[in-house]
Amino acid sequence: VYLWLEQENITHAEAVMFALSMSPDDIEIAQAALKHCQNDVSRAINFLIEHEDRESFEKEVKSNTTHKNLFQMPVDTFLFDVIQFLTDYIRDAPQFCICCGLQQSMALLKPVTCDRQLCQFQQINLGLGVSLEAELVHRAASVDLLICMTVSSAIENRHFLPFPTIQTSYLKSNNERVTATFDKNKPNEVVDMIQQCPSVTELATYAKEGILQEKCFAISPLLYPLLRWIVATNRAHLKRLDENLDMGTDFQFILKSSTPEKEKAFQNAKKECGGSFFAWHGSPLGNWHSILRVGLKNYSDTVHQRHGRAYGPGIYMAVDANTSLGYSAGYNTWKNSQFGTQLKCVALCEVIDYGTPTNCLGRVHRPNCSHCTSAPFYRVEAEEYVITRFFFIYSGSSSFSKNASELSKSVLQNKDYQMMSKVNK
């Protein structure tokens, strides 16, 4: 049979179709059977003949878009199956714990461990997951910012979530084994610990020399696990901008926190609604400790609501950056930060252009819309219609005025934003 196939230049799928008098439209069914039978023509023919419910099998193959994509490539290779498995695994990784593999309660951009104590222990003590040393060497500014957010959240102690559930054990000089951890009722322990931490420049030097853990342990056995926890639990992509925008500060970052699924849904909604626009969102630095781990949420009428909701529920955003900075009251933060000890921050968000200025359809409310004619802000009830794009840091006494619409052209021409757009497509 195989000699005949070779001589007549007939594919395996065509042989199966010929043997069973199948129509040309059934090639996907033949390919699916061959894939199931490791590309053995005889087994594939018998499989289709003896299949208990061939009709349902054929319907499943024809309706399954995954099969249609797979059959554009060779199906007679084990390596292809491995590549397909790895592709699916990497794509879905943020949905599952990197240690136990169980599904997370929520997923953002980066894969992290779940809240189970064993998984936390494996991450901190066995070195699973993120490399703190690599992050310090290659993304020191981002690590600095993450530390500042954690300190500010702990100082304010309003909603210090998630709390660093770290536990480590070590031997004292008398060979007594001691367990160290942080008390959830004493967030100042986290603050005091980080205030003893050297700058990220020094930490990066220690990392290059291979003595980072040793130096941190000399300060406290909890310092290295704490720094690693701060970096490893961040589920967002935070990176210093290669090309700064005209925003009156040198501290500018990409801030991308949406999963590929959420990003795809956002892009689809953007096409359906005819586009998007940019607006500013301001919140104290400590709040971003939580936002980077759970996303930008509509917390109206919940215990996490910080400011009032005078114009209704939703995520509030402003036309001008200075307005949002007014809601970013600075708190003291890490004393060794390169950014300073009192910081304010604002995020530039992309919002689905749902409805029109004269015809508000809900979900996305513009200033002075028909639902609240006195409202001076954007108010987005559908949190899936908002995605963070950029993040800007200012000193505690700074102010900067910039209309988001004036920045749109620069944003669209920015290489970092264009790269995000290519990935999204």
Side-chain angles (χ1 to χ4, degrees):
V1 172
Y2 289 102
L3 180 62
W4 171 68
L5 291 174
E6 184 177 345
Q7 290 175 342
E8 298 297 329
N9 194 27
I10 296 175
T11 66
H12 291 188
E14 290 171 335
V16 172
M17 293 167 62
F18 174 80
L20 298 177
S21 301
M22 299 167 68
S23 71
D25 294 336
D26 293 332
I27 187 170
E28 292 176 354
I29 298 170
Q31 290 173 325
L34 283 164
K35 185 176 187 298
H36 179 78
C37 299
Q38 288 76 49
N39 211 38
D40 187 303
V41 173
S42 298
R43 287 177 58 196
I45 293 172
N46 290 331
F47 171 77
L48 289 175
I49 292 174
E50 299 172 1
H51 198 281
E52 293 181 358
D53 192 354
R54 176 175 167 179
E55 185 177 350
S56 64
F57 174 76
E58 292 177 355
K59 288 181 179 178
E60 179 185 351
V61 172
K62 288 185 176 181
S63 64
N64 192 330
T65 55
T66 303
H67 280 306
K68 293 179 181 178
N69 292 330
L70 289 176
F71 295 140
Q72 294 172 1
M73 300 182 68
V75 297
D76 57 347
T77 168
F78 172 73
L79 180 59
F80 173 71
D81 291 334
V82 173
I83 293 173
Q84 187 66 44
F85 169 79
L86 291 175
T87 301
D88 294 342
Y89 186 87
I90 293 172
R91 181 196 64 211
D92 299 334
Q95 300 178 26
F96 302 93
C97 172
I98 60 175
C99 291
C100 69
L102 295 180
Q103 188 156 8
Q104 299 271 24
S105 58
M106 65 163 297
L108 285 180
L109 192 61
K110 291 184 177 180
V112 295
T113 58
C114 63
D115 295 330
R116 294 175 182 84
Q117 189 172 356
L118 178 59
C119 295
Q120 294 283 335
F121 175 84
Q122 290 175 327
Q123 174 185 265
I124 300 301
N125 294 281
L126 302 184
L128 300 179
V130 172
S131 167
L132 174 60
E133 286 79 359
E135 293 294 316
L136 283 167
V137 171
H138 300 293
R139 287 170 285 277
S142 298
V143 175
D144 193 329
L145 182 54
L146 290 171
I147 294 173
C148 288
M149 291 174 177
T150 301
V151 173
S152 292
S153 185
I155 289 175
E156 185 186 2
N157 194 27
R158 190 168 181 268
H159 298 298
F160 185 23
L161 298 171
F163 185 88
T165 52
I166 297 169
Q167 182 173 308
T168 187
S169 61
Y170 62 97
L171 290 175
K172 297 177 69 175
S173 56
N174 60 358
N175 287 330
E176 177 188 358
R177 181 163 292 279
V178 177
T179 299
T181 187
F182 290 111
D183 187 342
K184 287 186 177 182
N185 298 316
K186 298 178 180 178
N188 59 296
E189 292 180 350
V190 176
V191 178
D192 294 341
M193 177 70 63
I194 294 180
Q195 297 296 21
Q196 301 177 57
C197 181
S199 67
V200 290
T201 303
E202 292 180 70
L203 293 174
T205 301
Y206 297 151
K208 292 176 182 178
E209 296 174 355
I211 57 174
L212 178 62
Q213 290 194 50
E214 176 186 339
K215 290 291 186 179
C216 288
F217 189 87
I219 297 172
S220 169
L222 282 170
L223 180 56
Y224 182 84
L226 175 60
L227 294 176
R228 195 167 184 278
W229 179 90
I230 291 172
V231 173
T233 56
N234 168 38
R235 297 187 178 190
H237 176 59
L238 192 65
K239 172 185 170 292
R240 195 84 175 257
L241 274 180
D242 294 327
E243 296 179 358
N244 277 358
L245 300 171
D246 181 19
M247 283 298 297
T249 176
D250 293 329
F251 304 134
Q252 305 187 17
F253 295 82
I254 290 175
L255 176 54
K256 184 171 170 28
S257 59
S258 55
T259 59
E261 290 79 13
K262 182 178 179 182
E263 186 68 57
K264 183 178 180 180
F266 182 88
Q267 294 299 324
N268 289 338
K270 185 175 173 179
K271 291 179 182 178
E272 292 175 4
C273 298
S276 63
F277 61 89
F278 294 97
W280 301 103
H281 179 74
S283 192
L285 187 65
N287 286 4
W288 291 94
H289 168 81
S290 176
I291 293 172
L292 264 59
R293 290 160 175 82
V294 301
L296 190 59
K297 298 289 185 181
N298 177 4
Y299 279 138
S300 298
D301 302 322
T302 72
V303 294
H304 301 293
Q305 178 179 320
R306 179 179 181 88
H307 298 290
R309 40 149 291 176
Y311 306 105
I315 299 172
Y316 280 65
M317 288 175 287
V319 175
D320 192 273
N322 205 36
T323 303
S324 293
L325 281 171
Y327 290 87
S328 305
Y331 286 88
N332 290 328
T333 186
W334 184 29
K335 66 179 183 180
N336 289 324
S337 171
Q338 62 182 294
F339 306 123
T341 57
Q342 280 201 334
L343 306 176
K344 292 194 295 187
C345 54
V346 65
L348 183 65
C349 302
E350 188 172 1
V351 186
I352 297 296
D353 197 8
Y354 185 75
T356 67
T358 57
N359 183 25
C360 182
L361 303 176
R363 297 189 185 181
V364 177
H365 301 269
R366 292 166 173 77
N368 311 119
C369 77
S370 57
H371 292 89
C372 190
T373 56
S374 61
F377 308 114
Y378 291 108
R379 178 171 59 89
V380 183
E381 296 182 65
E383 60 187 39
E384 66 272 17
Y385 278 14
V386 181
I387 284 187
T388 55
R389 294 303 189 196
F390 300 96
F391 194 73
F392 306 92
I393 303 175
Y394 299 85
S395 65
S397 59
S398 297
S399 62
F400 185 79
S401 180
K402 174 71 72 171
N403 191 300
S405 61
E406 296 175 6
L407 205 61
S408 296
K409 184 177 180 180
S410 300
V411 167
L412 295 176
Q413 294 175 346
N414 184 272
K415 289 183 178 179
D416 291 294
Y417 178 80
Q418 290 175 353
M419 184 62 67
M420 284 192 287
S421 299
K422 288 180 182 178
V423 171
N424 296 339
K425 292 178 182 178

